[in-house]
Amino acid sequence: MTDQTTARNDAQAAADRFLALNSGNLASYLESCVRCGLCATACHFYEVTGDPKYTPAYKLFPMARAHKKNSWPWRWFGGAKITEAELQEWEELLFDSCTMCGRCTQVCPMGIDIASIVSASRSAFAAAGRGPEDFMQAAENVREKGSPLGMTPSVFDGRVEWLEDDYEVDLPMDKEGSDILLTVSSIEMMKYPKSIIAMARLLNHAGVNWTFSSTGYEATNFGFLAGKPDIAKLALERIVNAAEELGAKTVVIPECGHAYGALRWSGANILGRALPFEVLHITELLSRLKADGKLKFRPIEGSITYHDPCQISRRGGATHLARFLLDDAEDFREMTPTGDENWCCGGGGGVQAMERAADLRHKVFQIKMKQVEDTGAQMMVSSCANCRLTMDGSKDYWKWDRELESLAELLVEYLVDDDGEPVEWDD
Amino acid sequence: MELLEFARGPALMFSITVFIAGVLFRIFSLLFMWRTKDTSAAHPGQKPEIMAALSDILRRMWPLATYRQRSLFQWINGYVFHIGLFIVVFFLLPHILFINDLTGLSWGHLPNNLVYAISIVTLISLIAALIMRASNPPQRLISTFDDYFSWLVTFLPVLSGIVATMHIGARYETLLALHILSVCLLLIYIPFGKLMHFFLVFITRGQTGAHIAHRRRTTVLKGE
């Protein structure tokens, strides 16, 4: 086959995949854009660069064309097909510069959910072999090694044992009859293990009957982000099978935004059956434990603000729970905008895992730095390890002096017993 | 056949037919496509899907405070020409008489001079929208033939209507015929392009409203 033939086939493969996913829901979105451009004002990539190519509506062009080419009455007139050059141009727009944060959905006067079309477009591009190499490889790692960061079951086991010894904390593994299966993000396990210790300590203190699973441990779902449905499904099945084997009634997603969306909102749809358990993000579980009086905290010292992970707040609906957990803070300050309208960290949607997008991410983080500085808070708390990794990287890049903290790690430091006495940890 | 007779007769009938058939086809071809069914469990205490859809249709009538400042011109200008077009089309006496001839329906009209003034404001507002489209970088980049042509077929009836009312440049019958023909062009084009948003807006806002509401956690935590 000549290069030209391959290229044409790639473009056709992208169009075919998209059309297979193109439901009435997506088609309605694609047909109703009035190209008012207001979505640009909501996009952090446009905000920091001023480059119109980052206008969210523009990101939809190839797939809008694939749809148009396939629908009445334009199919009769031939219409233009997607070209290889367009795949080349739009790869950056759909992968490197869209975090699927959903702010554009919020601002769209037509109510078009641009994020869901970007997700389907990524799948189309992946079918054509398109996507940042390192990011697509991270997705493949899920298939081969059980985790995007290569955390195989034996690495996971080893890390858990090490943490258990080092921090003298009980980390149950494969405990049958557990109420809760706690999953982890490999980002936490490899870079922020204290966040896992914090979750375990809070759960143990509250008397929760929980366990890890040596087969269904990875919460992140890079297949979901990279548009590789087979890998997305495989990652979900590992968790579902593990929960079923252990008899867990609840699966808890750790501090990770997209992992929550992938299992909580897309899990049943991808697997084609209702999930046989409840799915909670760790902030939901901790809130429930706090509301039930099983976790109590003393006032958190210093001035803090909260960064809303897009998939937990805007796209997850748990916006107020982090506030409920932080309502013991002496000096809590909201950013502007905040909650459902908060700005993205710049690394969601897998953008964090794309090396070539680093400069763009750093630029986006300037928005967050300004938001935090405007509050005057010394510490920014969040509940997503991916946001944290993104923000930590950019914090170093800009040599920024404010502190970043995980919600679970912060809370465990302020835990008190029933008598109101601080709980001490042997670190 | 006189131009006016042609415009009022076969041209108008043809364009109304294309308009109705085309709009129905567009709507049904979308409604009959397979639709994804969200089988994930909603957070407890959700309002019914239809209520969520309706409340998002209303909510998006005005931008959220966070986004308001930077989009205010487009929002206000958008309202000016949408409301302006609505008033001019449905509350000018000659239009009501014309519609009454066609359908037998009739309703009260606004004073002619007021509607003329509104038509001038609408014209200016449409020009402002075009300038915005051509000068605002994101909008300019994403604009297609459909955007400019949709603008043109909306603008022409307003312009020709004003010209006909003012009797400028030609016989009144000729100006009126051109005005009707411009309306025919608009009617014929509606099903083929983005002007379909007059109907699609309810589908897209509704489905996103239901989608997002499905994920909202509204309950108190204790004893959930």
Side-chain angles (χ1 to χ4, degrees):
Chain A
M1 243 184 330
T2 64
D3 281 356
Q4 220 175 357
T5 318
T6 317
R8 198 162 52 236
N9 290 347
D10 284 350
Q12 191 57 46
D16 289 346
R17 170 70 70 83
F18 182 79
L19 292 172
L21 295 169
N22 189 23
S23 60
N25 313 52
L26 292 186
S28 303
Y29 287 146
L30 290 172
E31 291 192 14
S32 59
C33 180
V34 293
R35 291 171 290 277
C36 67
L38 290 180
C39 47
T41 63
C43 179
H44 39 277
F45 294 108
Y46 175 71
E47 175 78 8
V48 295
T49 62
D51 188 334
K53 73 178 179 178
Y54 294 121
T55 303
Y58 190 58
K59 294 171 181 168
L60 313 183
F61 269 40
M63 294 307 125
R65 195 120 60 76
H67 166 64
K68 194 170 178 179
K69 170 92 187 86
N70 194 49
S71 56
W72 177 88
W74 293 275
R75 65 195 322 177
W76 300 340
F77 303 121
K81 284 187 172 176
I82 307 175
T83 63
E84 178 67 9
E86 284 167 333
L87 291 185
Q88 177 83 30
E89 183 183 348
W90 264 269
E91 180 185 304
E92 189 228 340
L93 302 180
L94 291 165
F95 286 89
D96 309 36
S97 55
C98 180
T99 55
M100 299 190 277
C101 74
R103 281 188 109 233
C104 47
T105 300
Q106 223 168 20
V107 79
C108 176
M110 295 296 294
I112 298 170
D113 186 24
I114 296 169
S116 65
I117 310 174
V118 168
S119 175
S121 304
R122 280 190 178 190
S123 196
F125 274 55
R130 286 282 172 181
E133 213 172 310
D134 47 359
F135 176 56
M136 302 316 262
Q137 184 54 49
E140 287 300 325
N141 288 347
V142 175
R143 194 197 317 269
E144 293 151 16
K145 298 177 178 165
S147 144
L149 295 186
M151 185 173 69
T152 60
S154 69
V155 171
F156 175 68
D157 264 356
R159 298 283 289 183
V160 169
E161 263 181 50
W162 164 70
L163 289 174
E164 207 164 24
D165 289 347
D166 234 38
Y167 289 90
E168 294 179 19
V169 59
D170 191 19
L171 301 175
M173 180 72 79
D174 295 327
K175 192 174 80 179
E176 278 189 40
S178 298
D179 295 329
I180 286 177
L181 166 62
L182 178 62
T183 57
V184 301
S185 141
S186 45
I187 296 174
E188 291 173 314
M189 195 51 114
M190 309 309 270
K191 307 212 169 172
Y192 304 115
K194 283 190 82 172
S195 148
I196 292 171
I197 298 300
M199 289 192 296
R201 282 177 169 162
L202 290 164
L203 267 53
N204 289 342
H205 180 84
V208 173
N209 177 20
W210 70 277
T211 184
F212 282 135
S213 159
S214 57
T215 53
Y217 54 85
E218 176 62 79
T220 66
N221 195 324
F222 270 51
F224 180 72
L225 295 177
K228 297 192 171 213
D230 55 330
I231 300 179
K233 192 171 179 187
L234 179 68
L236 289 168
E237 278 168 347
R238 286 179 182 146
I239 296 175
V240 173
N241 292 344
E244 283 182 324
E245 278 166 25
L246 295 165
K249 295 190 270 299
T250 303
V251 171
V252 172
I253 298 294
E255 293 193 336
C256 179
H258 86 266
Y260 178 67
L263 184 63
R264 178 69 181 85
W265 305 117
S266 300
N269 299 326
I270 292 172
L271 295 173
R273 65 181 173 113
L275 299 179
F277 46 74
E278 173 191 37
V279 180
L280 293 179
H281 185 255
I282 187 71
T283 53
E284 294 180 291
L285 177 64
L286 296 180
S287 300
R288 191 179 285 183
L289 294 171
K290 182 179 175 181
D292 288 344
K294 291 176 183 165
L295 290 178
K296 291 179 182 139
F297 304 98
R298 63 192 167 89
I300 296 167
E301 293 155 13
S303 52
I304 60 172
T305 185
Y306 182 72
H307 161 72
D308 290 271
C310 307
Q311 304 303 325
I312 308 300
S313 290
R314 179 167 40 252
R315 310 278 290 181
T319 318
H320 58 297
L321 299 186
R323 275 85 186 164
F324 171 68
L325 286 167
L326 290 169
D327 69 0
D328 296 304
E330 281 174 346
D331 184 4
F332 181 75
R333 304 175 185 194
E334 289 284 10
M335 297 179 196
T336 307
T338 188
D340 291 348
E341 289 141 47
N342 211 329
W343 286 99
C344 172
C345 67
V351 173
Q352 206 293 316
M354 303 168 200
E355 184 51 38
R356 67 186 194 194
D359 285 346
L360 203 50
R361 286 198 305 270
H362 296 325
K363 276 188 192 152
V364 169
F365 189 65
Q366 289 176 298
I367 302 176
K368 195 54 64 182
M369 291 193 293
K370 174 151 190 341
Q371 276 188 289
V372 176
E373 284 163 12
D374 286 349
T375 69
Q378 275 308 309
M379 180 190 283
M380 168 165 55
V381 183
S382 189
S383 59
C384 172
N386 186 73
C387 294
R388 189 181 181 187
L389 189 60
T390 302
M391 298 193 293
D392 259 345
S394 295
K395 174 180 145 78
D396 289 348
Y397 179 85
W398 294 109
K399 300 185 174 44
W400 195 49
D401 63 350
R402 309 287 161 117
E403 291 170 69
L404 303 181
E405 184 59 288
S406 119
L407 182 58
E409 284 179 54
L410 180 69
L411 288 173
V412 81
E413 293 303 317
Y414 287 89
L415 189 64
V416 294
D417 60 22
D418 285 340
D419 302 324
E421 292 301 315
V423 179
E424 302 287 340
W425 308 108
D426 302 322
D427 282 355
Chain B
M1 190 188 287
E2 283 281 324
L3 188 62
L4 184 57
E5 267 180 72
F6 168 74
R8 273 180 176 158
L12 190 65
M13 282 310 119
F14 174 76
S15 30
I16 289 175
T17 309
V18 171
F19 169 74
I20 293 174
V23 165
L24 289 177
F25 194 99
R26 274 288 288 277
I27 292 170
F28 283 110
S29 63
L30 272 179
L31 294 183
F32 283 128
M33 271 181 89
W34 69 280
R35 296 185 78 79
T36 45
K37 177 91 188 103
D38 190 352
T39 54
S40 66
H43 273 318
Q46 289 311 322
K47 50 186 165 189
E49 212 172 58
I50 183 74
M51 294 308 292
L54 289 173
S55 69
D56 207 53
I57 288 171
L58 284 178
R59 200 285 280 163
R60 285 183 199 268
M61 298 303 282
W62 193 239
L64 294 170
T66 296
Y67 306 107
R68 198 167 297 151
Q69 197 189 343
R70 291 173 60 182
S71 60
L72 205 56
F73 170 76
Q74 268 173 289
W75 272 96
I76 292 175
N77 192 51
Y79 268 113
V80 168
F81 71 75
H82 276 88
I83 295 172
L85 285 169
F86 182 78
I87 292 175
V88 173
V89 171
F90 293 109
F91 291 97
L92 181 71
L93 182 60
H95 288 169
I96 296 172
L97 295 175
F98 190 79
I99 294 168
N100 181 254
D101 265 359
L102 281 174
T103 64
L105 298 172
S106 186
W107 54 84
H109 68 276
L110 290 173
N112 282 355
N113 284 339
L114 174 65
V115 181
Y116 295 150
I118 291 172
S119 68
I120 300 288
V121 172
T122 306
L123 194 81
I124 293 167
S125 171
L126 281 168
I127 292 169
L130 182 69
I131 292 171
M132 181 79 186
R133 180 168 294 286
S135 61
N136 173 34
Q139 241 192 315
R140 190 174 59 228
L141 177 70
I142 62 178
S143 292
T144 62
F145 169 80
D146 180 28
D147 296 299
Y148 292 108
F149 197 70
S150 296
W151 181 89
L152 185 69
V153 298
T154 310
F155 182 79
L156 285 179
V158 183
L159 179 69
S160 61
I162 292 170
V163 170
T165 307
M166 294 174 145
H167 300 209
I168 304 171
R171 282 173 59 222
Y172 177 68
E173 285 74 11
T174 310
L175 294 174
L176 184 60
L178 290 174
H179 177 55
I180 295 172
L181 287 173
S182 73
V183 174
C184 293
L185 182 63
L186 170 66
L187 287 171
I188 291 171
Y189 188 66
I190 284 174
F192 292 89
K194 73 167 191 180
L195 295 174
M196 273 301 292
H197 76 267
F198 83 90
F199 180 82
L200 295 178
V201 65
F202 300 107
I203 298 185
T204 49
R205 283 186 187 178
Q207 75 187 28
T208 297
H211 178 67
I212 299 293
H214 181 77
R215 303 173 170 207
R216 286 268 82 83
R217 182 172 269 282
T218 52
T219 48
V220 274
L221 297 145
K222 205 168 171 107
E224 229 177 49

